[in-house]
Amino acid sequence: DDKQGYPVQLIRGQSVVFDTTTTTAASDNGGNDIIKGVLCGKYVSPLPGTNNHRVLIGATHEFQSTPLSPSQVMEELKQRSYELSPRVWDEGQLLQITQGVRVQTRRTEWGRLPIVKKINVNWNESAGP
């Protein structure tokens, strides 16, 4: 688990970006904005500068070295976030799947402690994602 002596794990995360331009997901019948950001273990967030026409939903938590396939990403995120924004899932158009790696500290009796440090990892030698 420890990378360069630090008590952290590197965890891959993948998110999906939907375009809602041609859907009713971005507004109600009166044109009022109804897409709000939600953060609750998973997240649904309109992307800035897109007039609420692009929505980011994420993210997976992948501990294995092989990334989830695009269909697995879609299935996992839909299962965990559909109730937060069903019209985005039902009517939106998938634009892209993004991925990144988060640093996660071990959970202690006080929860997870934040960490701020640059860690250089050679992914070819890493056992993690």
Side-chain angles (χ1 to χ4, degrees), residues 14-119:
Q14 296 188 66
S15 302
V16 293
V17 177
F18 282 100
D19 184 348
T20 61
T21 304
T22 60
T23 72
T24 61
S27 64
D28 63 18
N29 292 335
N32 298 312
D33 168 31
I34 60 167
I35 295 180
K36 305 294 183 198
V38 178
L39 177 63
C40 58
K42 295 296 175 217
Y43 52 84
V44 175
S45 177
L47 294 175
T50 66
N51 292 327
N52 284 342
H53 292 299
R54 292 198 177 173
V55 178
L56 177 69
I57 300 176
T60 61
H61 290 84
E62 301 172 41
F63 296 89
Q64 68 279 7
S65 60
T66 304
L68 294 177
S69 70
S71 62
Q72 290 172 312
V73 170
M74 293 290 286
E75 181 180 327
E76 178 180 328
L77 292 178
K78 186 174 184 177
Q79 177 186 7
R80 295 178 184 268
S81 68
Y82 183 83
E83 290 183 21
L84 298 175
S85 199
R87 288 195 288 179
V88 172
W89 282 104
D90 292 343
E91 302 174 28
Q93 177 185 354
L94 178 66
L95 292 179
Q96 70 183 112
I97 297 176
T98 63
Q99 76 172 337
V101 177
R102 70 177 60 83
V103 175
Q104 178 174 286
T105 57
R106 290 194 187 128
R107 185 175 299 279
T108 70
E109 63 190 72
W110 300 288
R112 294 193 189 278
L113 300 176
I115 187 167
V116 178
K117 171 93 174 134
K118 180 178 179 179
I119 300 175

